[in-house]
Amino acid sequence: MARAAVLGRLTWLVGTVAAVREETPTARTIVLDVPGWPGHQAGQHVDVRLTAPDGYSAQRSYSIASPPGGTGLELTVQRLADGEVSPYLTEVLAPGDPLELRGPIGGWFVWRAEDTGPVLLVAGGSGVVPLMAMIRARALSGSRAPFRLVYSVREPETALYASELAERARTDAGLEVTYVYTRSTPAGWRMPAGRINADILTAGQAALPGLSVFVCGPTGFVEAAADLLVDAGHEPGTIKTERFGPSQVSEHE
């Protein structure tokens, strides 16, 4: 039975683009209806495959942005200027178009509604995508687990889901959102632009009992954040990481 489930996840499915939503000047969310979709957990990803008329194909992995439930899913894609797949997904793909995908993939970097302990989410750039799925899953399930998101971006205009995060932080008790701007800050921002540090990650407090940590972003960012947390007293076994490439993008080129 378990083997059949694994084989099912490795089967390519054809989804249909139901809608697209521009998130930033270089990123868009693709809403897909996928008949036969087996369901997913918050934090998992899929493989996407594009095939040219001459038979050449390119395949990339993208985190799922939507919470579990239903036959559809959302992928938020950051465009890479020299990418093979992301320019098509962010500039050409339109509602009604088919898209091949395979998944869900990954069972370790996930948050489940039955996990009631406090959670620290640390995102670099578009590494926020699977963490947003966790935030949405928490709200959908009615979980009261304390969530804190530390989100590092270059400039305010590059932040994904900014309006939604602001609204959720305002209305959802137990969710706290902290931004770190590395190049330029919003007008009147109280802190200068700079990199993430231990004080920001820990909010000046010791690790909460039962705290789970999820860190996602470019490889260098993830390694630096994990090292800072360990140096601050967090147990390495409580820190789950997902990393991709040197740039703040969600396409694993």
Side-chain angles (χ1 to χ4, degrees):
M1 192 71 172
R3 178 176 172 80
V6 170
L7 290 175
R9 290 196 299 272
L10 296 178
T11 300
W12 288 98
L13 299 172
V14 178
T16 301
V17 179
V20 296
R21 187 169 65 245
E22 305 305 322
E23 298 287 353
T24 72
T26 59
R28 83 166 16 168
T29 291
I30 301 164
V31 182
L32 293 160
D33 181 55
V34 188
W37 179 247
H40 64 277
Q41 296 176 326
Q44 291 185 303
H45 64 277
V46 296
D47 291 335
V48 170
R49 181 170 66 185
L50 301 181
T51 303
D54 63 2
Y56 174 77
S57 66
Q59 178 182 319
R60 299 292 183 270
S61 296
Y62 294 97
S63 296
I64 300 170
S66 49
T71 62
L73 69 157
E74 297 184 8
L75 308 177
T76 300
V77 180
Q78 178 78 45
R79 183 170 66 252
L80 283 178
D82 58 350
E84 282 190 298
V85 175
S86 61
Y88 176 83
L89 297 180
T90 55
E91 297 177 328
V92 179
L93 194 71
D97 287 347
L99 189 66
E100 280 191 293
L101 65 157
R102 178 175 62 184
I105 300 169
W108 182 70
F109 192 84
V110 298
W111 179 82
R112 300 174 177 86
E114 57 266 29
D115 298 334
T116 58
V119 176
L120 172 62
L121 308 172
V122 183
S126 58
V128 75
V129 176
L131 308 185
M132 193 67 191
M134 297 178 189
I135 290 172
R136 290 167 170 167
R138 173 185 178 273
L140 190 64
S141 69
S143 169
R144 295 296 90 194
F147 264 42
R148 179 169 180 256
L149 169 66
V150 178
Y151 186 12
S152 174
V153 294
R154 292 171 178 170
E155 303 98 4
E157 57 270 21
T158 63
L160 298 174
Y161 319 122
S163 296
E164 181 180 350
L165 283 171
E167 179 63 15
R168 288 188 181 277
R170 186 181 69 82
T171 61
D172 192 351
L175 173 64
E176 177 186 346
V177 179
T178 299
Y179 282 95
V180 178
Y181 299 100
T182 61
R183 291 191 180 177
S184 64
T185 66
W189 193 251
R190 67 186 185 279
M191 295 177 61
R195 296 184 181 278
I196 207 163
N197 59 50
D199 286 340
I200 294 171
L201 287 173
T202 64
Q205 300 176 351
L208 296 172
L211 179 70
S212 296
V213 182
F214 296 88
V215 186
C216 186
T219 297
F221 172 88
V222 169
E223 292 176 350
D227 288 344
L228 286 169
L229 288 165
V230 171
D231 290 344
H234 290 256
E235 290 295 328
T238 66
I239 303 171
K240 296 183 178 182
T241 61
E242 184 131 301
R243 64 197 73 195
F244 51 81
S247 302
Q248 294 191 1
V249 294
S250 59
E251 181 172 354
H252 300 196
E253 296 272 18

